[in-house]
Amino acid sequence: MPFDRKKADRAVAFFERYLKHGTGKYAGRPFLLAEWQKRIIRDIFGTVKDDGTRQYSTVYIEIPKKNGKSELAAGIALYLLAADGEAGAEVYGAASARDQAAIIYRLARRMVMQCPPLRRRTEVLNSTKTIYYRPTDSFYRAISADAGTQDGINPSGVIFDELHRQKNSDLWDILTLGGDTRTQPLTVALTTAGVRDESPLCWQQHEYASQLLRGVFENPSYYPVIFAADDNDDWEDPKTWAKANPALGDFLPMDKVAEAARLAKQNPAELNKFLRFRLNRWVQQESRWIPLEKWDACAGKVDREALRGRPCFGGLDLSTSVDLTAFALLFPHEDGMIDILCHFWMPAAAVRERTKLDGYPYDRWVQAGLIEATEGNTVDYTVVKRRILECAQEFELLEVGYDIYNANQTAVELQAAGVRMVPIRQTTIGLNAACRELERRWEDRTIRHGGNPVLRFMADCVAVKEDSNGLMKPVKPSRHYSRKRIDGIVAILNALARLIVHDGSGGAADPVVLVV
């Protein structure tokens, strides 16, 4: 992507020449950006498209408390207000509640009051938490989700503070969709780690940003930044503290974090706070299941032609109108390998919308023939049934395990056509053996999946949950909040559940190869 050094330098210079800190021991001092802050600012404002406009439209910054998040947000808000070159700019400082929204506003107001050029050109109205910038007829305003519907807005910039506190996506949707007519609208979300079940919107953004950082796919308009300790990092090690806290030893004193760690060692309740607020670890009952590096290590070439006529077990996961439908075939071999062939469908009318809203390249996957788009705004089950029957002719299809959700009528029709259909309970009892078996196989590298990007995307999306007996099942993403899809992995598990039964090993079947 092109980089405009002058624009990057200009943004940094705005902070360091015009802004001063407004609170604490740094009050009144110039806002000299730390190197990590400078890198973020330069990337955001210096990375441009071929036409010179800003490349990034969404910025997600996740960072532990006391690392200067709010001050950085206030500075970005003022730059968008007074130095971004946008006539009639509307910059909103958003949060879940009035008090939270007021934090960045107060910091921005103090910065304005300490800068004579800005003070002369602005008008501050505390009653509405608004800062007007007269030369371009622009304003910055603090708003919150608890203030009612925000109508008639046309944001050029949005600063969303503590996104993890948002209980729903209403305000986010209004603000991020309202600026579509702007040339280069920018949404900057800043947050610490949250509680997954309480923060579905923020968890969605966190997971999406994590996937971009891991290189699962690309989105050139989204800039992700996450400072956090990994789950396997030693939380008592100062190196872990530094990994999660870029300001440690600078404006975040080491002794403050050390004291918090000491209290955490003595008190389990304090430990949870330390992990979340100091190391930026999310609190959740569910955990990511498939390590992407181990999944990638199992890629390999599989010859579909060589599978013709061979016995296999099928797995079916039918979708709603917006989800993907997946059908998997598992082929056991005498040498202990199992090939898996996957088919995916989605409604043609949803391809463009889901690509835009979710940020995943469904359109490219359809063009590449990895997903079949069926006519209309729902998946055409007749196309799915026809393909399954074609597979029954192409291979020796012994059984198809299926999730009964949305599938009863389809299962009846396939059964009548001669395909043996077996319902699989989507519970820990119904799926635990298949989960453990698949888990063992990627650990042993007895899976070959061909590197299919759709299946890779789904493997990265899967989270699992264990019950009180230690039994496991995958957790399907929320249809209301999540962009993730795991249908292909579920289809594989449904097929694997039947293969295990016929193998007679109760979960110790022969090694697996995935064909996709």
Side-chain angles (χ1 to χ4, degrees):
M1 292 179 286
F3 191 81
D4 190 324
R5 180 177 294 181
K6 288 184 179 179
K7 289 186 176 181
D9 291 343
R10 187 171 184 269
V12 171
F14 177 82
F15 276 80
E16 300 189 342
R17 293 179 186 175
Y18 295 104
L19 304 184
K20 294 181 179 180
H21 292 283
T23 61
K25 67 178 183 179
Y26 292 100
R29 297 185 188 179
F31 196 150
L32 300 180
L33 295 168
E35 285 304 314
W36 62 274
Q37 294 174 318
K38 191 177 294 185
R39 183 177 66 253
I40 291 173
I41 294 301
R42 289 181 62 82
D43 285 350
I44 293 173
F45 294 103
T47 308
V48 297
K49 302 175 185 177
D50 291 336
D51 63 2
T53 59
R54 201 162 31 239
Q55 176 70 47
Y56 299 115
S57 58
T58 303
V59 175
Y60 179 83
I61 302 174
E62 188 179 299
I63 191 169
K65 288 185 175 299
K66 304 304 179 183
N67 280 271
K69 169 175 58 64
S70 297
E71 289 80 2
L72 189 65
I76 293 173
L78 290 177
Y79 184 85
L80 293 174
L81 171 67
D84 200 35
E86 182 80 14
E90 296 182 21
V91 183
Y92 294 92
S96 62
R98 290 179 178 87
D99 291 345
Q100 186 66 44
I103 292 174
I104 293 179
Y105 164 75
R106 287 196 295 268
L107 288 170
R109 182 190 63 193
R110 292 188 187 109
M111 291 177 180
V112 167
M113 292 298 100
Q114 294 182 95
C115 176
L118 281 177
R119 190 171 64 243
R120 287 194 300 269
R121 293 169 172 81
T122 57
E123 180 181 357
V124 178
L125 296 179
N126 287 323
S127 60
T128 57
K129 294 183 174 58
T130 300
I131 301 173
Y132 284 98
Y133 186 68
R134 289 188 291 269
T136 57
D137 191 25
S138 302
F139 65 82
Y140 164 79
R141 179 173 298 150
I143 61 174
S144 60
D146 60 5
T149 303
Q150 305 290 341
D151 294 321
I153 64 174
N154 184 21
S156 56
V158 176
I159 309 297
F160 227 115
D161 192 28
E162 295 296 10
L163 191 64
H164 73 91
R165 296 186 183 276
Q166 289 294 318
K167 300 303 181 184
N168 58 58
S169 63
D170 292 350
L171 184 59
W172 172 271
D173 291 341
I174 290 171
L175 292 175
T176 56
L177 297 176
D180 283 349
T181 60
R182 296 285 185 173
T183 302
Q184 51 178 10
L186 179 66
T187 297
V188 181
L190 306 100
T191 189
T192 52
V195 179
R196 174 172 176 168
D197 293 338
E198 297 176 3
S199 315
L201 168 64
C202 190
W203 175 254
Q204 171 188 316
Q205 295 298 320
H206 164 85
E207 287 290 86
Y208 189 73
S210 297
Q211 289 178 313
L212 290 172
L213 289 169
R214 292 196 306 275
V216 178
F217 43 80
E218 296 180 353
N219 183 345
S221 68
Y222 196 108
Y223 183 75
V225 179
I226 297 178
F227 293 100
D230 294 327
D231 290 342
N232 58 352
D233 287 339
D234 180 2
W235 67 268
E236 296 184 72
D237 190 342
K239 292 181 180 178
T240 301
W241 308 346
K243 177 180 179 179
N245 295 272
L248 189 65
D250 184 4
F251 51 85
L252 175 60
M254 175 70 78
D255 60 349
K256 296 291 186 182
V257 180
E259 174 63 14
R262 186 186 67 79
L263 293 175
K265 195 170 183 178
Q266 298 173 349
N267 186 340
E270 291 298 323
L271 175 57
N272 288 335
K273 292 180 183 178
F274 185 85
L275 293 176
R276 179 180 172 190
F277 296 123
R278 295 293 188 179
L279 299 186
N280 212 34
R281 287 187 184 172
W282 277 75
V283 178
Q284 58 193 58
Q285 293 179 321
E286 303 161 5
S287 57
R288 184 183 303 279
W289 188 32
I290 303 177
L292 198 59
E293 66 277 7
K294 292 187 177 182
W295 183 262
D296 289 343
C298 295
K301 182 179 179 180
V302 182
D303 184 2
R304 179 186 179 114
E305 292 297 320
L307 299 175
R308 294 187 183 279
R310 295 191 60 90
C312 59
F313 294 86
L316 180 63
D317 187 50
L318 289 178
S319 69
T320 61
S321 60
V322 298
D323 289 330
L324 278 81
T325 283
F327 178 58
L329 293 169
L330 278 65
F331 299 79
H333 291 272
E334 293 179 358
D335 63 358
M337 304 300 289
I338 299 176
D339 300 338
I340 299 181
L341 173 65
C342 284
H343 302 272
F344 300 104
W345 298 266
M346 73 183 304
V351 172
R352 173 182 250 175
E353 179 184 11
R354 298 321 306 177
T355 299
K356 179 180 179 181
L357 294 179
D358 294 355
Y360 299 128
Y362 292 122
D363 53 355
R364 297 206 306 267
W365 290 336
V366 169
Q367 291 170 6
L370 298 168
I371 298 174
E372 182 178 354
T374 67
E375 292 298 324
N377 55 13
T378 60
V379 172
D380 186 346
Y381 288 172
T382 61
V383 174
V384 176
K385 287 183 292 185
R386 183 168 62 247
R387 185 58 176 146
I388 293 174
L389 292 174
E390 289 172 354
C391 288
Q393 294 295 318
E394 186 178 1
F395 313 109
E396 185 183 348
L397 183 54
L398 302 177
E399 290 182 353
V400 174
Y402 68 97
D403 176 1
I404 63 172
Y405 182 76
N406 275 342
N408 277 339
Q409 184 60 36
T410 301
V412 169
E413 293 171 359
L414 286 169
Q415 182 81 26
V419 179
R420 178 172 168 77
M421 304 294 294
V422 182
I424 304 297
R425 296 171 63 187
Q426 304 296 295
T427 63
T428 54
I429 293 175
L431 291 175
N432 179 71
C435 286
R436 298 298 181 185
E437 182 65 8
L438 186 58
E439 192 174 58
R440 180 181 71 81
R441 294 180 182 284
W442 81 61
E443 291 287 348
D444 293 343
R445 294 194 181 184
T446 53
I447 296 173
R448 293 196 304 262
H449 51 71
N452 180 288
V454 181
L455 196 59
R456 183 177 189 262
F457 152 64
M458 293 178 177
D460 187 68
C461 289
V462 180
V464 291
K465 191 173 184 178
E466 292 188 0
D467 63 17
S468 58
N469 296 313
L471 301 179
M472 177 193 296
K473 73 168 185 175
V475 180
K476 289 208 171 185
S478 166
R479 300 182 190 280
H480 299 291
Y481 297 111
S482 181
R483 302 166 171 175
K484 294 185 171 185
R485 300 292 180 264
I486 67 171
D487 310 85
I489 302 299
V490 172
I492 289 171
L493 291 173
N494 287 338
L496 189 56
R498 296 311 302 161
L499 186 150
I500 289 173
V501 170
H502 282 261
D503 176 75
S505 64
D510 293 325
V512 179
V513 178
L514 308 188
V515 182
V516 286

